[in-house]
Amino acid sequence: MENTSKKNYRLVADWETLHRVFIRPEDEDSRLTLVKYMEQILYGLHDFLETHVGVTEEISLIKLSEQYTDTYIDKHPAKKLNDVIKDIIDEIAPRAVNVASPYFVGHMTSAIPFFMVHLKAITAALNQNVIKLETSKVLSLLEKQVLAKLHRLIYQFDDAFYQHHVQNSETSLGAFTTGGTTANLTALWVARNSLLQPISGFQGIEQDGLFQAMKAHQIERIVVLVSKRGHYSLNKACGVLGLGNANIIPIDVDEKRSIDLHRLRKKIQQLSRENGTRIAAVVGIAGSTETGIVDPLDEIGDICQEYGIHYHVDAAWGGPVLLSEKYRHMLKGIERADSITIDCHKQFYMPMTSGMVYFKDPAAMNQIVYHARYVNRPGSVDLGIKSLEGSREANSLILDSALKIMGSQGYALLIEHGIEMARNFAEMIRSRSLFQLITSPQLNILTYRIAPPQLQEEREKKDQRVREKVDSILDDINIQVQRKQREDGKSFVSRTRLPVKPGDSHDTVVLRCVIMNPLTGVETLSAILDEQEEIYHALFPQVENVIAS
Ligand SMILES: *Cc1c(COP(=O)(O)O)cnc(C)c1O
């Protein structure tokens, strides 16, 4: 069909080459080539991550962005696979962020066990789509089994319960999602729909929409209650669900920096007296993104039970702590929740992206059933019937395999290392006069700031105005030091804004550290503080000048 002799001189897109990229390597030669490529990926990237101890390369984002301005798609193939792989290893990887570095302790994205890369490759090779049985078969059953294992870890119902539901096509214990954001959205979707049930003349919110729902149920607004430290994905969820961001009611935190139960109860009582207001859910946080603090889950459970409110726990970060016998008590009461979010790509150490949502009531997800004529027919086991996502990969295979390879004990060791290393780090910060610990770690996250003793003293003895002035000087110092450390590329902590004392009226800049890499040790953390001290002294040689400015 094409003149193939040209192929030797330049790359072409023709039927023969097209066929070749689709068929399995038949002869020994092409097998070896494929194995060579896989080696190139696995070893090339792995060696790179190991030798490249820093976090980022010294190239400015502006310079880099100048190299990415080509907006044309080549008509003819420009490169062969091995050249593309080589380019990625040589040019992309060094300019990406080495999140696997033990010195990268700023975010919830970190090193993953090496076997995850293999498992990810398997799911790509199988390319199952668990939206329906017809494209996944056993993987839909495996997903139901993995969900039941985790459900059992959380809720601990009896054998009969799990035997009844594990492969039941009518009920669902939860679902895999693309992440915590969609897991939270799914949970609030269910909560919203349970509130706006069909009544005479109204076929339910999903069918008739929010405007009809308001009339039929005689309501004016629906609210969601969460502590001030709630994740912003809840805002997105309320936006998408038509509830509105303004109807997420932030509850103050108490001196422990977790939700103030007294204020929560008072707010619920106040809202209950408003005629047109309904509460869709109260959200408890099991490991807040900024501070790692866990809300008093049991007590929130009491309140939700008393007032008959849907109780959601956002355990995107903290969920896997349940695997540690030593620390699972920190999540006591999570089993009271009607729905729970847990991320796989966080403390299950899975590659991007995967999350999960769980429901205590196996019938809860009937609130979000969708059928289509060509898939997801009524009565089938198709997982897509009750899922926000359409097509999705078989992430349950990765989690199931990882649980087999690690055992709960393996995960427990990782979790415990993070928690204990964070405690060590907090001690280190307390013992250095240049630093001030802002939130001591409950799990493996803590915040602190650079605050020279002179400025700390100044702040203590004066009124609110002086306090704000000192804090704005410290904000500037912390921003500059954090930025310089990030740009130098050897280590990375992130920054956010929090009040210094839980009751303070204003937020200040704090440095945020998330410790989940098992290779992050005491020496690593001590070196990170050393570097921050050095940068601080170089940038601000005299504190007096800082105060005077
Ligand atoms: C990370 C996180 C989320 C959002 O999860 P994504 O996977 O990033 O979508 C929600 N809640 C909490 C508490 C989180 O830490």
Side-chain angles (χ1 to χ4, degrees):
M1 167 189 267
E2 268 268 0
N3 174 7
T4 52
S5 65
K6 263 189 182 165
K7 249 193 351 261
N8 300 327
Y9 303 101
R10 66 180 183 91
L11 299 169
V12 288
D14 59 15
W15 271 108
E16 196 193 325
T17 46
L18 207 54
H19 263 245
R20 246 186 307 135
V21 298
F22 273 88
I23 46 175
R24 208 157 40 86
E26 297 292 343
D27 56 69
E28 201 52 33
D29 267 4
S30 41
R31 260 168 213 273
L32 289 177
T33 312
L34 277 198
V35 171
K36 193 188 80 193
Y37 292 158
M38 219 53 198
E39 255 183 34
Q40 217 178 338
I41 296 170
L42 294 174
Y43 287 103
L45 282 179
H46 194 242
D47 288 351
F48 162 75
L49 290 175
E50 268 201 346
T51 52
H52 185 85
V53 288
V55 169
T56 54
E57 207 181 49
E58 269 180 82
I59 177 161
S60 82
L61 203 60
I62 296 170
K63 267 223 179 101
L64 202 56
S65 67
E66 286 163 5
Q67 297 174 22
Y68 291 86
T69 54
D70 180 4
T71 55
Y72 291 97
I73 296 172
D74 292 330
K75 178 157 186 187
H76 296 290
K79 286 184 176 174
K80 289 185 163 182
L81 176 61
N82 63 344
D83 296 324
V84 168
I85 295 172
K86 197 172 171 308
D87 284 357
I88 293 171
I89 293 173
D90 294 346
E91 283 168 34
I92 300 289
R95 288 158 181 193
V97 177
N98 186 2
V99 298
S101 164
Y103 293 86
F104 185 87
V105 291
H107 284 304
M108 294 172 155
T109 307
S110 178
I112 51 175
F114 196 50
F115 64 75
M116 292 292 186
V117 181
H118 294 85
L119 297 174
K120 187 86 185 175
I122 293 171
T123 58
L126 285 172
N127 197 30
Q128 302 292 291
N129 183 353
V130 293
I131 190 175
K132 51 190 178 278
L133 266 182
E134 290 169 355
T135 50
S136 63
K137 201 162 179 178
V138 69
L139 286 145
S140 289
L141 308 182
L142 183 74
E143 174 163 326
K144 281 185 86 78
Q145 181 185 273
V146 180
L147 288 167
K149 284 185 187 180
L150 270 288
H151 193 281
R152 181 166 210 150
L153 177 75
I154 301 163
Y155 290 108
Q156 302 187 331
F157 289 133
D158 60 14
D159 271 331
F161 176 90
Y162 290 105
Q163 282 315 309
H164 181 68
H165 291 290
V166 62
Q167 291 303 339
N168 193 322
S169 62
E170 301 294 316
T171 60
S172 301
L173 299 177
F176 273 73
T177 63
T178 50
T181 299
T182 40
N184 279 339
L185 173 51
T186 306
L188 292 185
W189 187 17
V190 166
R192 184 199 67 171
N193 291 9
S194 325
L195 199 64
L196 302 172
Q197 292 291 338
I199 48 177
S200 87
F202 174 65
Q203 307 172 74
I205 166 85
E206 208 64 24
Q207 184 67 25
D208 286 351
L210 202 52
F211 305 110
Q212 299 300 324
M214 287 173 63
K215 278 192 226 152
H217 283 268
Q218 296 185 322
I219 52 174
E220 280 158 25
R221 66 165 181 163
I222 299 172
V223 299
V224 171
L225 275 57
V226 63
S227 101
K228 276 191 161 161
R229 298 276 85 82
H231 190 268
Y232 73 106
S233 56
L234 298 168
N235 296 51
K236 288 186 192 172
C238 286
V240 173
L241 293 170
L243 309 184
N245 279 208
N247 291 315
I248 295 185
I249 312 243
I251 308 294
D252 274 331
V253 294
D254 60 16
E255 71 285 350
K256 295 195 295 293
R257 292 193 188 254
S258 53
I259 195 166
D260 185 325
L261 292 165
H262 178 66
R263 285 203 166 96
L264 174 65
R265 183 181 285 278
K266 261 181 50 189
K267 193 47 137 182
I268 292 174
Q269 287 166 348
Q270 181 207 324
L271 292 165
S272 309
R273 284 193 298 270
E274 291 177 12
N275 252 338
T277 301
R278 297 282 188 288
I279 303 170
V282 169
V283 181
I285 310 170
S288 106
T289 314
E290 288 165 295
T291 62
I293 298 294
V294 180
D295 281 333
L297 301 180
D298 224 2
E299 287 81 354
I300 303 177
D302 288 337
I303 294 176
C304 287
Q305 192 176 340
E306 187 181 332
Y307 291 92
I309 302 170
H310 182 104
Y311 180 22
H312 177 64
V313 170
D314 184 354
W317 180 251
V321 174
L322 289 169
L323 293 164
S324 160
E325 278 162 39
K326 200 165 166 190
Y327 294 119
R328 78 167 279 151
H329 65 87
M330 289 190 190
L331 267 50
K332 187 172 172 292
I334 192 171
E335 72 285 352
R336 313 270 305 263
D338 297 297
S339 55
I340 297 170
T341 288
I342 301 179
D343 253 331
C344 298
H345 55 227
K346 288 181 180 167
Q347 297 209 82
F348 274 114
Y349 292 79
M350 268 173 57
M352 293 288 136
T353 64
S354 181
M356 301 173 291
V357 61
Y358 287 92
F359 292 91
K360 183 182 214 166
D361 173 6
M365 291 185 88
N366 289 340
Q367 296 295 339
I368 55 166
V369 164
Y370 270 82
H371 297 294
R373 265 173 310 186
Y374 64 104
V375 289
N376 300 342
R377 295 176 199 95
S380 77
V381 200
D382 295 350
L383 297 177
I385 292 175
K386 297 174 227 170
S387 166
L388 176 66
E389 282 87 1
S391 299
R392 58 189 174 82
E393 61 194 315
N395 272 320
S396 65
L397 182 61
I398 302 184
L399 182 57
D400 188 58
S401 308
L403 288 169
K404 283 175 182 151
I405 294 169
M406 303 276 287
S408 62
Q409 177 62 16
Y411 274 113
L413 288 172
L414 283 174
I415 300 283
E416 288 158 15
H417 172 267
I419 291 173
E420 283 151 25
M421 205 45 65
R423 288 178 184 170
N424 274 319
F425 193 40
E427 272 318 302
M428 253 183 246
I429 289 165
R430 283 199 191 94
S431 71
R432 295 196 189 206
S433 63
L434 182 61
F435 297 97
Q436 180 185 19
L437 189 67
I438 303 293
T439 56
S440 49
Q442 190 178 0
L443 300 181
N444 49 355
I445 300 174
L446 59 77
T447 63
Y448 63 105
R449 66 173 177 172
I450 294 167
Q454 296 93 321
L455 283 175
Q456 281 193 53
E457 274 165 38
E458 182 83 359
R459 191 185 187 278
E460 286 316 306
K461 61 184 184 224
K462 296 285 170 47
D463 61 11
Q464 172 72 9
R465 265 220 317 281
V466 173
R467 224 170 13 232
E468 283 181 23
K469 174 143 191 291
V470 172
D471 280 343
S472 85
I473 294 169
L474 290 174
D475 284 357
D476 185 48
I477 292 175
N478 281 278
I479 289 172
Q480 290 199 47
V481 172
Q482 190 265 353
R483 197 176 284 159
K484 180 84 173 72
Q485 188 172 34
R486 185 189 63 202
E487 282 166 10
D488 286 351
K490 291 199 285 286
S491 40
F492 174 77
V493 304
S494 60
R495 69 178 142 85
T496 184
R497 298 182 71 92
L498 289 172
V500 172
K501 297 264 152 51
D504 281 2
S505 57
H506 67 284
D507 289 344
T508 62
V509 172
V510 299
L511 305 174
R512 167 173 167 268
C513 180
V514 182
I515 304 172
M516 65 183 297
N517 188 332
L519 302 180
T520 301
V522 176
E523 313 73 37
T524 326
L525 296 166
S526 164
I528 289 172
L529 290 183
D530 289 346
E531 193 190 8
Q532 287 171 347
E533 288 204 15
E534 262 168 48
I535 294 172
Y536 164 75
H537 288 302
L539 290 180
F540 305 93
Q542 294 197 334
V543 168
E544 298 87 84
N545 296 353
V546 172
I547 298 176
S549 70

